[in-house]
Structure formats: structure tokens, C-alpha cells
Amino acid sequence: MNAPVDAPIARRRLLTTAGAGLAAATLTPALPARAELAADPFRLGVASGDPDATSVVLWTRLAPAPTDASTSFGMRGQGEVPVTLRVATSAARLAEERTCLRVETHTAVQSEGYSVHALVEGLQPRTRYYYQFLAGGHASPVGETRTLPAPGSLTPVRFAVINCQNLVEGRAELHFTAMTDLARHHDVDFVVHLGDYIYEFGRAAHLPPEPVTNLVGYRTRYGQYKQRESLRELHRRFPVFAVPDDHEFFNDVRGGNLGARPVRWNAALRVYWENLPFRNRPEQDAGGRFWMRLHQRVRWADTLDLFLTDIRQHEGADGLLGAAQQAELLEFLDTSDARFTAIGTQSPMSSWAGRGGMWRSHPGVRRQVTDRLLARKQADPRGFNPVVLAGDLHCGMVTHVQADPDDVASTPVATEFVNAAMTSGSATNWEQVLAAGDGGPGFLAAYGYTDGGGWNQYNGLTVHTVTGTSWTTTYHLTNQIRDPQGGMSGTRTWMLRHGARVGSVRSTG
């Protein structure tokens, strides 16, 4: 039986933690007979996330039958299940406890979807680590992760941005072609997920086929998505920073307008947390609503300062970001001193062809942000280099954030790279966007192709390489998401020089 939707989430119970090095050899893993599992509980793989210079969150969720709600996803009859975590500086060292850097035992419980979120601290900056979970006589895949560098250097960084990974189209499945390519053929320091990790709506090929509205439904849907090999491999290889858009909850949700006890919202946020490696966790307010701090700041040495916004929990009566997050973002823009200062946000801040996203619908908040961007660039034209990364629109675009959203010829205040959707399509008539001059002088590219006389957007992702002297963005594009063996269609690359004026980004191929 599933716990009530609004039951409090218990604090993580850490049974035993061994110290670093040989101290771990003294720990005996506690795997009692009652915890033996007949089937592999690690069908959803492993993941790491929210790293900083000295710590990282390591994740797994026990689910021998990830989409079988009738058996509690293969965990029926299990109570508290001890899960051993091993951490080492190489995959080979994980084989024995005496060669591990850290050995911990955590408890997976039914009320938390048998998920484990292990915050491992005391690590070294910019170091690669390997980890593995053990439970019920089974071992998980070996994951790898890495910490961020400490401040004080211009260490280059390479990271990917992903969003909008719809799994199905009617009765057919779609394929994460660009994600497969990234995990197989490329290396990045981390991945940023800008939202729509799942889609909650009902389609014939979805599990369940109807829209998901409760704990069981959301757990089943994540079970379907996270069995996709490309997604498991992405998480196994790279640490992830994730912020949601609407479909992790439900279409066009505006969290600032929800009632006092939003049962569906609570179920969605709770299961989102259960399935990703978050440092924070949902907490209930006095009215019974779950909240979770999801916006965050990612600092990579002195090279990159990145603020990831959370729009969906606040948009509505709370404005766009909520008072606290808005204040943090403005302070970030006032004080960031990295070579490149970036905002990662779900909806584009730019406007074009008479269109715009959620930022355009909140002109007061947008104006405060654009005023800060313009003032900082004018005060420090070489030292302040602003970039915006956005998703949601299902089309890869290169454009600029203009000071006035109603005047596309107004002063550009930041370069904006709008990410292509991993798989999701759009009904938007992008031909209007592509019309000559329709997007204004700051609109540089929209990536699509003609098919049967119509124009279709490419799917894919972006990879960003940031150094002390430049920001390079490469769009990895494909039109083969319906083919399980599909490949990539090509790349497009843009470069922005440190110290250059806003508007000087240029295509390099």
C-alpha cells in the first residue's frame, strides 16, 4: 500500500558511516536475510548530482519491477532495506571495502519510493570518483562523478544542457538520440537539465496510458522513463543539476496559484525528488503544500558562475520567481565576478516576431533583471560577460535578450542560447520566425529542416565550453528521433569572446 500523498517525508537515516581510507575496512555491511531480493533492484540505475568542490549527492532507487505498481514496483513485502554505498577513486578499488575511500549504509523505505540520496562530503576539488550501491544480494552499475574545482583558477569547463525529453508520440516511442550520442561519444563535466524530465499526459504508449495524477502514477511514469538506456547511462557517467519545467507537475502549471492542499502537485514534487539526485528535499508548509528549494548557483572556479532558476513553483501570485529567489538572482547579477556570468532558465528571456515566453508575461521582474545586466555591462564592459541558457520552446535558437521586450531593436543585454528539445515537437509556426528580419537584429538562427514542404525543428542538445577567454556553444542536432538506431544530423557552433560587446557572438561552423 502506498503512503498517503501528504505524509511527511522522513529525514534520511544514516546507519553507519566509515571514515576515509583504511578506516572503511572496519565496517561490515549490514545485509540481513530479510532484505534479500529475488530480482535486481537497480533497474533504474544510479546517478549523481548537485556537486560542489567537496561534496556530491549519490542516488539510486530500488525497483525490481519499475512499472508494476501492483507489486509496489517489485518491493512488496519489504520494510526498511539497508543499502550499502561504496565510493573510491577508481572502479577497481570498489571491489573491496579496504580499498574504498568511503563505505556507508543507508536505509531505503517505502514511503520515499525506496530511493537513496546520499550526500558524500569531505571530497577533493575537481576529482573524479566512482561509486556503487549494494542491496539484497545485488550490486548496482558502477557510477562515476566528479567534484567542482575550488575558486582561484580559470579552469575550463565543458557541460551539456538538456530539456523536453518526451518519451512517446501517440502509440510510438521516441528515442533520445542526442543523449545516446553524448553518453557514448563525448565527455562533459556536468549536465544541466532545464525541465520536462517526464511528460505527465496520457498517450497510448505511456505507462500508464492515462494522465498521471497521484503517487502511483508518477512513480510508474518515472519508472518507464528511467529504464531508457540512454538516460541511465547519462546519469551513470555525469553529475546532473536539474530544475523542473511544467510537465514534471502538469501542463502549464503555475505554482503560485495553487490551492492550500494541492494533492497532485504534492505527489509530483515528491516523486520528482525520489527520482533525481537532489541535495534538498520537499518540506510541507503550514497548509500542507510541499515546497522544495530547486533554484541554485553553480560556481566553476573563476571561469563560470551559473544561476539556475525555478519558475514553476512560484509563477502566478508570487510573480515569476518568488521574492526570495528574485532577490538572490539580482544579488547574483550585482556581485558575480567570474569570467562568464550565466542564467539558466526554463523559458527564454528574449522576444522575437511578437512572441516571448513566461518572462515576457512578467515585465516588472524581467525589467529588473535586464536593467542589472545592462548596468553591469556598462560599468565593466570587459569583465562582465552575460549569457542566458533557456529551453521549453522546442527549437534551437541563437538570439539576444533585448532591454525592451516589445522592441527587438532595443539594446541587447545578454546573448541567449535556446536549447533544442531532446524529442518534443511543437505546433508553433516557426516559418514566421524564420522570415527575413522577423526576429529583429538580435535574432541569429533557428535550427530546422524542410520535410514534405513544411518546416520542422531539429531535436538535440547543446554542449558549452567555457574558458578564461571564450564561451563556445555547439548545437548537436538530429531529425532521427523516431528511429531506435537513428544518428545525429550535424552540429552548429557559436563563439563569444570574453570582453566582447553583447551582440558580437558569431557562428564558427
Side-chain angles (χ1 to χ4, degrees), residues 452-483:
W455 190 86
N456 297 279
Q457 82 284 352
Y458 277 110
N459 294 99
L461 54 81
T462 50
V463 174
H464 308 266
T465 302
V466 188
T467 71
T469 59
S470 66
W471 179 302
T472 302
T473 292
T474 300
Y475 286 80
H476 293 247
L477 303 170
T478 179
N479 61 359
Q480 300 178 39
I481 61 172
R482 292 166 182 83
D483 181 357

PDB file of all heavy atoms in Angstrom, residues 452-483:
ATOM      1  N   GLY A 452       8.678  17.443 -46.689  1.00  0.00           N
ATOM      2  CA  GLY A 452       7.365  17.411 -47.315  1.00  0.00           C
ATOM      3  C   GLY A 452       6.772  18.788 -47.526  1.00  0.00           C
ATOM      4  O   GLY A 452       5.551  18.953 -47.476  1.00  0.00           O
ATOM      5  N   GLY A 453       7.624  19.763 -47.727  1.00  0.00           N
ATOM      6  CA  GLY A 453       7.164  21.118 -47.960  1.00  0.00           C
ATOM      7  C   GLY A 453       6.973  21.945 -46.708  1.00  0.00           C
ATOM      8  O   GLY A 453       6.775  23.149 -46.777  1.00  0.00           O
ATOM      9  N   GLY A 454       7.043  21.315 -45.535  1.00  0.00           N
ATOM     10  CA  GLY A 454       6.904  22.039 -44.280  1.00  0.00           C
ATOM     11  C   GLY A 454       8.235  22.173 -43.566  1.00  0.00           C
ATOM     12  O   GLY A 454       9.225  21.537 -43.920  1.00  0.00           O
ATOM     13  N   TRP A 455       8.249  23.020 -42.546  1.00  0.00           N
ATOM     14  CA  TRP A 455       9.469  23.253 -41.774  1.00  0.00           C
ATOM     15  C   TRP A 455       9.324  22.595 -40.417  1.00  0.00           C
ATOM     16  O   TRP A 455       8.304  22.759 -39.733  1.00  0.00           O
ATOM     17  CB  TRP A 455       9.708  24.754 -41.612  1.00  0.00           C
ATOM     18  CG  TRP A 455      11.056  25.106 -41.041  1.00  0.00           C
ATOM     19  CD1 TRP A 455      12.218  25.258 -41.739  1.00  0.00           C
ATOM     20  CD2 TRP A 455      11.357  25.355 -39.667  1.00  0.00           C
ATOM     21  NE1 TRP A 455      13.235  25.596 -40.867  1.00  0.00           N
ATOM     22  CE2 TRP A 455      12.733  25.654 -39.582  1.00  0.00           C
ATOM     23  CE3 TRP A 455      10.605  25.343 -38.490  1.00  0.00           C
ATOM     24  CZ2 TRP A 455      13.368  25.951 -38.400  1.00  0.00           C
ATOM     25  CZ3 TRP A 455      11.243  25.635 -37.294  1.00  0.00           C
ATOM     26  CH2 TRP A 455      12.608  25.936 -37.253  1.00  0.00           C
ATOM     27  N   ASN A 456      10.329  21.827 -40.021  1.00  0.00           N
ATOM     28  CA  ASN A 456      10.321  21.139 -38.737  1.00  0.00           C
ATOM     29  C   ASN A 456      11.571  21.498 -37.961  1.00  0.00           C
ATOM     30  O   ASN A 456      12.654  21.657 -38.538  1.00  0.00           O
ATOM     31  CB  ASN A 456      10.293  19.619 -38.928  1.00  0.00           C
ATOM     32  CG  ASN A 456       9.048  19.160 -39.632  1.00  0.00           C
ATOM     33  OD1 ASN A 456       8.004  19.017 -39.030  1.00  0.00           O
ATOM     34  ND2 ASN A 456       9.162  18.946 -40.948  1.00  0.00           N
ATOM     35  N   GLN A 457      11.452  21.603 -36.645  1.00  0.00           N
ATOM     36  CA  GLN A 457      12.614  21.902 -35.824  1.00  0.00           C
ATOM     37  C   GLN A 457      13.464  20.657 -35.629  1.00  0.00           C
ATOM     38  O   GLN A 457      12.961  19.534 -35.586  1.00  0.00           O
ATOM     39  CB  GLN A 457      12.201  22.473 -34.466  1.00  0.00           C
ATOM     40  CG  GLN A 457      11.807  21.453 -33.412  1.00  0.00           C
ATOM     41  CD  GLN A 457      10.427  20.870 -33.625  1.00  0.00           C
ATOM     42  OE1 GLN A 457       9.680  21.328 -34.482  1.00  0.00           O
ATOM     43  NE2 GLN A 457      10.097  19.861 -32.849  1.00  0.00           N
ATOM     44  N   TYR A 458      14.778  20.852 -35.539  1.00  0.00           N
ATOM     45  CA  TYR A 458      15.674  19.772 -35.133  1.00  0.00           C
ATOM     46  C   TYR A 458      15.511  19.517 -33.636  1.00  0.00           C
ATOM     47  O   TYR A 458      15.184  20.416 -32.864  1.00  0.00           O
ATOM     48  CB  TYR A 458      17.132  20.141 -35.412  1.00  0.00           C
ATOM     49  CG  TYR A 458      17.588  19.892 -36.828  1.00  0.00           C
ATOM     50  CD1 TYR A 458      17.857  20.956 -37.687  1.00  0.00           C
ATOM     51  CD2 TYR A 458      17.768  18.596 -37.298  1.00  0.00           C
ATOM     52  CE1 TYR A 458      18.292  20.736 -38.987  1.00  0.00           C
ATOM     53  CE2 TYR A 458      18.210  18.360 -38.591  1.00  0.00           C
ATOM     54  CZ  TYR A 458      18.466  19.432 -39.434  1.00  0.00           C
ATOM     55  OH  TYR A 458      18.895  19.204 -40.718  1.00  0.00           O
ATOM     56  N   ASN A 459      15.777  18.299 -33.242  1.00  0.00           N
ATOM     57  CA  ASN A 459      15.887  17.955 -31.832  1.00  0.00           C
ATOM     58  C   ASN A 459      17.352  17.827 -31.465  1.00  0.00           C
ATOM     59  O   ASN A 459      18.226  17.811 -32.319  1.00  0.00           O
ATOM     60  CB  ASN A 459      15.143  16.645 -31.550  1.00  0.00           C
ATOM     61  CG  ASN A 459      13.654  16.789 -31.753  1.00  0.00           C
ATOM     62  OD1 ASN A 459      13.109  16.422 -32.784  1.00  0.00           O
ATOM     63  ND2 ASN A 459      12.971  17.353 -30.774  1.00  0.00           N
ATOM     64  N   GLY A 460      17.637  17.742 -30.143  1.00  0.00           N
ATOM     65  CA  GLY A 460      19.023  17.569 -29.735  1.00  0.00           C
ATOM     66  C   GLY A 460      19.337  18.200 -28.402  1.00  0.00           C
ATOM     67  O   GLY A 460      18.491  18.270 -27.504  1.00  0.00           O
ATOM     68  N   LEU A 461      20.563  18.689 -28.290  1.00  0.00           N
ATOM     69  CA  LEU A 461      21.059  19.295 -27.055  1.00  0.00           C
ATOM     70  C   LEU A 461      22.176  20.257 -27.395  1.00  0.00           C
ATOM     71  O   LEU A 461      22.578  20.373 -28.559  1.00  0.00           O
ATOM     72  CB  LEU A 461      21.539  18.214 -26.076  1.00  0.00           C
ATOM     73  CG  LEU A 461      22.572  17.184 -26.559  1.00  0.00           C
ATOM     74  CD1 LEU A 461      23.998  17.731 -26.526  1.00  0.00           C
ATOM     75  CD2 LEU A 461      22.508  15.932 -25.709  1.00  0.00           C
ATOM     76  N   THR A 462      22.667  20.957 -26.388  1.00  0.00           N
ATOM     77  CA  THR A 462      23.818  21.830 -26.576  1.00  0.00           C
ATOM     78  C   THR A 462      24.945  21.430 -25.641  1.00  0.00           C
ATOM     79  O   THR A 462      24.714  20.929 -24.540  1.00  0.00           O
ATOM     80  CB  THR A 462      23.470  23.311 -26.311  1.00  0.00           C
ATOM     81  OG1 THR A 462      22.793  23.415 -25.055  1.00  0.00           O
ATOM     82  CG2 THR A 462      22.612  23.881 -27.414  1.00  0.00           C
ATOM     83  N   VAL A 463      26.167  21.661 -26.104  1.00  0.00           N
ATOM     84  CA  VAL A 463      27.362  21.484 -25.284  1.00  0.00           C
ATOM     85  C   VAL A 463      28.092  22.820 -25.255  1.00  0.00           C
ATOM     86  O   VAL A 463      28.342  23.429 -26.300  1.00  0.00           O
ATOM     87  CB  VAL A 463      28.274  20.374 -25.828  1.00  0.00           C
ATOM     88  CG1 VAL A 463      29.584  20.321 -25.042  1.00  0.00           C
ATOM     89  CG2 VAL A 463      27.574  19.014 -25.771  1.00  0.00           C
ATOM     90  N   HIS A 464      28.428  23.269 -24.045  1.00  0.00           N
ATOM     91  CA  HIS A 464      29.036  24.584 -23.846  1.00  0.00           C
ATOM     92  C   HIS A 464      30.441  24.408 -23.273  1.00  0.00           C
ATOM     93  O   HIS A 464      30.614  23.705 -22.272  1.00  0.00           O
ATOM     94  CB  HIS A 464      28.191  25.422 -22.898  1.00  0.00           C
ATOM     95  CG  HIS A 464      26.754  25.489 -23.314  1.00  0.00           C
ATOM     96  ND1 HIS A 464      26.253  26.514 -24.078  1.00  0.00           N
ATOM     97  CD2 HIS A 464      25.713  24.638 -23.078  1.00  0.00           C
ATOM     98  CE1 HIS A 464      24.963  26.304 -24.302  1.00  0.00           C
ATOM     99  NE2 HIS A 464      24.614  25.171 -23.708  1.00  0.00           N
ATOM    100  N   THR A 465      31.406  25.038 -23.895  1.00  0.00           N
ATOM    101  CA  THR A 465      32.786  25.016 -23.423  1.00  0.00           C
ATOM    102  C   THR A 465      33.180  26.435 -23.038  1.00  0.00           C
ATOM    103  O   THR A 465      33.141  27.352 -23.880  1.00  0.00           O
ATOM    104  CB  THR A 465      33.737  24.481 -24.507  1.00  0.00           C
ATOM    105  OG1 THR A 465      33.313  23.169 -24.895  1.00  0.00           O
ATOM    106  CG2 THR A 465      35.167  24.419 -23.979  1.00  0.00           C
ATOM    107  N   VAL A 466      33.527  26.618 -21.774  1.00  0.00           N
ATOM    108  CA  VAL A 466      33.815  27.958 -21.263  1.00  0.00           C
ATOM    109  C   VAL A 466      35.243  27.978 -20.729  1.00  0.00           C
ATOM    110  O   VAL A 466      35.628  27.129 -19.920  1.00  0.00           O
ATOM    111  CB  VAL A 466      32.829  28.346 -20.148  1.00  0.00           C
ATOM    112  CG1 VAL A 466      33.022  29.814 -19.758  1.00  0.00           C
ATOM    113  CG2 VAL A 466      31.382  28.103 -20.584  1.00  0.00           C
ATOM    114  N   THR A 467      36.020  28.940 -21.193  1.00  0.00           N
ATOM    115  CA  THR A 467      37.394  29.120 -20.734  1.00  0.00           C
ATOM    116  C   THR A 467      37.549  30.550 -20.218  1.00  0.00           C
ATOM    117  O   THR A 467      36.596  31.323 -20.187  1.00  0.00           O
ATOM    118  CB  THR A 467      38.395  28.877 -21.876  1.00  0.00           C
ATOM    119  OG1 THR A 467      38.310  29.964 -22.821  1.00  0.00           O
ATOM    120  CG2 THR A 467      38.101  27.566 -22.607  1.00  0.00           C
ATOM    121  N   GLY A 468      38.763  30.892 -19.852  1.00  0.00           N
ATOM    122  CA  GLY A 468      39.021  32.254 -19.402  1.00  0.00           C
ATOM    123  C   GLY A 468      38.910  33.284 -20.502  1.00  0.00           C
ATOM    124  O   GLY A 468      38.824  34.484 -20.225  1.00  0.00           O
ATOM    125  N   THR A 469      38.879  32.834 -21.763  1.00  0.00           N
ATOM    126  CA  THR A 469      38.878  33.780 -22.881  1.00  0.00           C
ATOM    127  C   THR A 469      37.672  33.672 -23.798  1.00  0.00           C
ATOM    128  O   THR A 469      37.446  34.562 -24.618  1.00  0.00           O
ATOM    129  CB  THR A 469      40.143  33.594 -23.743  1.00  0.00           C
ATOM    130  OG1 THR A 469      40.177  32.244 -24.242  1.00  0.00           O
ATOM    131  CG2 THR A 469      41.398  33.874 -22.923  1.00  0.00           C
ATOM    132  N   SER A 470      36.872  32.580 -23.689  1.00  0.00           N
ATOM    133  CA  SER A 470      35.771  32.434 -24.642  1.00  0.00           C
ATOM    134  C   SER A 470      34.681  31.510 -24.116  1.00  0.00           C
ATOM    135  O   SER A 470      34.900  30.682 -23.227  1.00  0.00           O
ATOM    136  CB  SER A 470      36.291  31.896 -25.979  1.00  0.00           C
ATOM    137  OG  SER A 470      36.778  30.569 -25.810  1.00  0.00           O
ATOM    138  N   TRP A 471      33.499  31.684 -24.705  1.00  0.00           N
ATOM    139  CA  TRP A 471      32.364  30.782 -24.496  1.00  0.00           C
ATOM    140  C   TRP A 471      31.999  30.219 -25.864  1.00  0.00           C
ATOM    141  O   TRP A 471      31.693  30.959 -26.801  1.00  0.00           O
ATOM    142  CB  TRP A 471      31.183  31.550 -23.911  1.00  0.00           C
ATOM    143  CG  TRP A 471      29.945  30.719 -23.688  1.00  0.00           C
ATOM    144  CD1 TRP A 471      29.245  29.998 -24.618  1.00  0.00           C
ATOM    145  CD2 TRP A 471      29.262  30.527 -22.435  1.00  0.00           C
ATOM    146  NE1 TRP A 471      28.189  29.364 -24.033  1.00  0.00           N
ATOM    147  CE2 TRP A 471      28.160  29.681 -22.705  1.00  0.00           C
ATOM    148  CE3 TRP A 471      29.458  31.006 -21.142  1.00  0.00           C
ATOM    149  CZ2 TRP A 471      27.265  29.295 -21.701  1.00  0.00           C
ATOM    150  CZ3 TRP A 471      28.574  30.625 -20.145  1.00  0.00           C
ATOM    151  CH2 TRP A 471      27.492  29.777 -20.427  1.00  0.00           C
ATOM    152  N   THR A 472      32.013  28.898 -25.991  1.00  0.00           N
ATOM    153  CA  THR A 472      31.664  28.241 -27.244  1.00  0.00           C
ATOM    154  C   THR A 472      30.461  27.332 -27.015  1.00  0.00           C
ATOM    155  O   THR A 472      30.462  26.519 -26.094  1.00  0.00           O
ATOM    156  CB  THR A 472      32.837  27.408 -27.784  1.00  0.00           C
ATOM    157  OG1 THR A 472      33.965  28.251 -27.977  1.00  0.00           O
ATOM    158  CG2 THR A 472      32.472  26.743 -29.100  1.00  0.00           C
ATOM    159  N   THR A 473      29.432  27.479 -27.842  1.00  0.00           N
ATOM    160  CA  THR A 473      28.229  26.660 -27.762  1.00  0.00           C
ATOM    161  C   THR A 473      28.068  25.875 -29.049  1.00  0.00           C
ATOM    162  O   THR A 473      28.094  26.460 -30.143  1.00  0.00           O
ATOM    163  CB  THR A 473      26.986  27.522 -27.524  1.00  0.00           C
ATOM    164  OG1 THR A 473      27.051  28.085 -26.211  1.00  0.00           O
ATOM    165  CG2 THR A 473      25.703  26.705 -27.661  1.00  0.00           C
ATOM    166  N   THR A 474      27.892  24.567 -28.916  1.00  0.00           N
ATOM    167  CA  THR A 474      27.673  23.706 -30.070  1.00  0.00           C
ATOM    168  C   THR A 474      26.312  23.028 -29.957  1.00  0.00           C
ATOM    169  O   THR A 474      26.028  22.361 -28.955  1.00  0.00           O
ATOM    170  CB  THR A 474      28.771  22.640 -30.194  1.00  0.00           C
ATOM    171  OG1 THR A 474      30.044  23.286 -30.342  1.00  0.00           O
ATOM    172  CG2 THR A 474      28.532  21.742 -31.402  1.00  0.00           C
ATOM    173  N   TYR A 475      25.490  23.213 -30.963  1.00  0.00           N
ATOM    174  CA  TYR A 475      24.202  22.534 -31.059  1.00  0.00           C
ATOM    175  C   TYR A 475      24.432  21.165 -31.705  1.00  0.00           C
ATOM    176  O   TYR A 475      24.925  21.081 -32.837  1.00  0.00           O
ATOM    177  CB  TYR A 475      23.222  23.352 -31.894  1.00  0.00           C
ATOM    178  CG  TYR A 475      22.688  24.568 -31.176  1.00  0.00           C
ATOM    179  CD1 TYR A 475      23.442  25.739 -31.086  1.00  0.00           C
ATOM    180  CD2 TYR A 475      21.425  24.560 -30.596  1.00  0.00           C
ATOM    181  CE1 TYR A 475      22.954  26.857 -30.423  1.00  0.00           C
ATOM    182  CE2 TYR A 475      20.926  25.673 -29.921  1.00  0.00           C
ATOM    183  CZ  TYR A 475      21.698  26.809 -29.847  1.00  0.00           C
ATOM    184  OH  TYR A 475      21.223  27.923 -29.182  1.00  0.00           O
ATOM    185  N   HIS A 476      24.072  20.097 -30.993  1.00  0.00           N
ATOM    186  CA  HIS A 476      24.136  18.738 -31.524  1.00  0.00           C
ATOM    187  C   HIS A 476      22.719  18.371 -31.969  1.00  0.00           C
ATOM    188  O   HIS A 476      21.820  18.204 -31.131  1.00  0.00           O
ATOM    189  CB  HIS A 476      24.644  17.776 -30.457  1.00  0.00           C
ATOM    190  CG  HIS A 476      26.065  18.014 -30.065  1.00  0.00           C
ATOM    191  ND1 HIS A 476      27.078  17.118 -30.331  1.00  0.00           N
ATOM    192  CD2 HIS A 476      26.664  19.066 -29.435  1.00  0.00           C
ATOM    193  CE1 HIS A 476      28.237  17.589 -29.885  1.00  0.00           C
ATOM    194  NE2 HIS A 476      28.000  18.774 -29.328  1.00  0.00           N
ATOM    195  N   LEU A 477      22.502  18.249 -33.272  1.00  0.00           N
ATOM    196  CA  LEU A 477      21.154  18.217 -33.840  1.00  0.00           C
ATOM    197  C   LEU A 477      20.850  16.895 -34.540  1.00  0.00           C
ATOM    198  O   LEU A 477      21.742  16.266 -35.116  1.00  0.00           O
ATOM    199  CB  LEU A 477      20.999  19.368 -34.836  1.00  0.00           C
ATOM    200  CG  LEU A 477      21.273  20.768 -34.276  1.00  0.00           C
ATOM    201  CD1 LEU A 477      21.334  21.791 -35.398  1.00  0.00           C
ATOM    202  CD2 LEU A 477      20.217  21.151 -33.244  1.00  0.00           C
ATOM    203  N   THR A 478      19.570  16.509 -34.492  1.00  0.00           N
ATOM    204  CA  THR A 478      19.143  15.284 -35.154  1.00  0.00           C
ATOM    205  C   THR A 478      17.694  15.418 -35.602  1.00  0.00           C
ATOM    206  O   THR A 478      16.905  16.140 -34.985  1.00  0.00           O
ATOM    207  CB  THR A 478      19.279  14.065 -34.223  1.00  0.00           C
ATOM    208  OG1 THR A 478      18.822  12.895 -34.911  1.00  0.00           O
ATOM    209  CG2 THR A 478      18.436  14.235 -32.961  1.00  0.00           C
ATOM    210  N   ASN A 479      17.345  14.731 -36.681  1.00  0.00           N
ATOM    211  CA  ASN A 479      15.947  14.594 -37.095  1.00  0.00           C
ATOM    212  C   ASN A 479      15.567  13.115 -37.172  1.00  0.00           C
ATOM    213  O   ASN A 479      14.693  12.720 -37.943  1.00  0.00           O
ATOM    214  CB  ASN A 479      15.687  15.296 -38.435  1.00  0.00           C
ATOM    215  CG  ASN A 479      16.528  14.721 -39.564  1.00  0.00           C
ATOM    216  OD1 ASN A 479      17.330  13.813 -39.374  1.00  0.00           O
ATOM    217  ND2 ASN A 479      16.330  15.255 -40.765  1.00  0.00           N
ATOM    218  N   GLN A 480      16.222  12.283 -36.337  1.00  0.00           N
ATOM    219  CA  GLN A 480      16.023  10.838 -36.390  1.00  0.00           C
ATOM    220  C   GLN A 480      15.569  10.276 -35.039  1.00  0.00           C
ATOM    221  O   GLN A 480      15.964   9.169 -34.650  1.00  0.00           O
ATOM    222  CB  GLN A 480      17.315  10.158 -36.847  1.00  0.00           C
ATOM    223  CG  GLN A 480      17.774  10.605 -38.223  1.00  0.00           C
ATOM    224  CD  GLN A 480      19.083   9.950 -38.635  1.00  0.00           C
ATOM    225  OE1 GLN A 480      19.335   8.789 -38.386  1.00  0.00           O
ATOM    226  NE2 GLN A 480      19.934  10.735 -39.285  1.00  0.00           N
ATOM    227  N   ILE A 481      14.706  10.991 -34.350  1.00  0.00           N
ATOM    228  CA  ILE A 481      14.278  10.547 -33.024  1.00  0.00           C
ATOM    229  C   ILE A 481      13.245   9.428 -33.077  1.00  0.00           C
ATOM    230  O   ILE A 481      12.935   8.827 -32.042  1.00  0.00           O
ATOM    231  CB  ILE A 481      13.714  11.731 -32.211  1.00  0.00           C
ATOM    232  CG1 ILE A 481      12.486  12.339 -32.907  1.00  0.00           C
ATOM    233  CG2 ILE A 481      14.792  12.779 -31.964  1.00  0.00           C
ATOM    234  CD1 ILE A 481      11.771  13.381 -32.072  1.00  0.00           C
ATOM    235  N   ARG A 482      12.712   9.137 -34.244  1.00  0.00           N
ATOM    236  CA  ARG A 482      11.740   8.042 -34.363  1.00  0.00           C
ATOM    237  C   ARG A 482      12.395   6.723 -34.735  1.00  0.00           C
ATOM    238  O   ARG A 482      11.725   5.688 -34.824  1.00  0.00           O
ATOM    239  CB  ARG A 482      10.660   8.417 -35.376  1.00  0.00           C
ATOM    240  CG  ARG A 482       9.777   9.558 -34.887  1.00  0.00           C
ATOM    241  CD  ARG A 482       8.927  10.179 -35.979  1.00  0.00           C
ATOM    242  NE  ARG A 482       8.159  11.304 -35.423  1.00  0.00           N
ATOM    243  CZ  ARG A 482       8.652  12.527 -35.280  1.00  0.00           C
ATOM    244  NH1 ARG A 482       9.903  12.794 -35.654  1.00  0.00           N
ATOM    245  NH2 ARG A 482       7.914  13.488 -34.756  1.00  0.00           N
ATOM    246  N   ASP A 483      13.676   6.750 -34.974  1.00  0.00           N
ATOM    247  CA  ASP A 483      14.434   5.559 -35.353  1.00  0.00           C
ATOM    248  C   ASP A 483      15.290   5.122 -34.171  1.00  0.00           C
ATOM    249  O   ASP A 483      16.163   5.868 -33.726  1.00  0.00           O
ATOM    250  CB  ASP A 483      15.324   5.884 -36.557  1.00  0.00           C
ATOM    251  CG  ASP A 483      16.138   4.689 -37.034  1.00  0.00           C
ATOM    252  OD1 ASP A 483      16.070   3.615 -36.400  1.00  0.00           O
ATOM    253  OD2 ASP A 483      16.844   4.842 -38.055  1.00  0.00           O
TER     254      ASP A 483
END
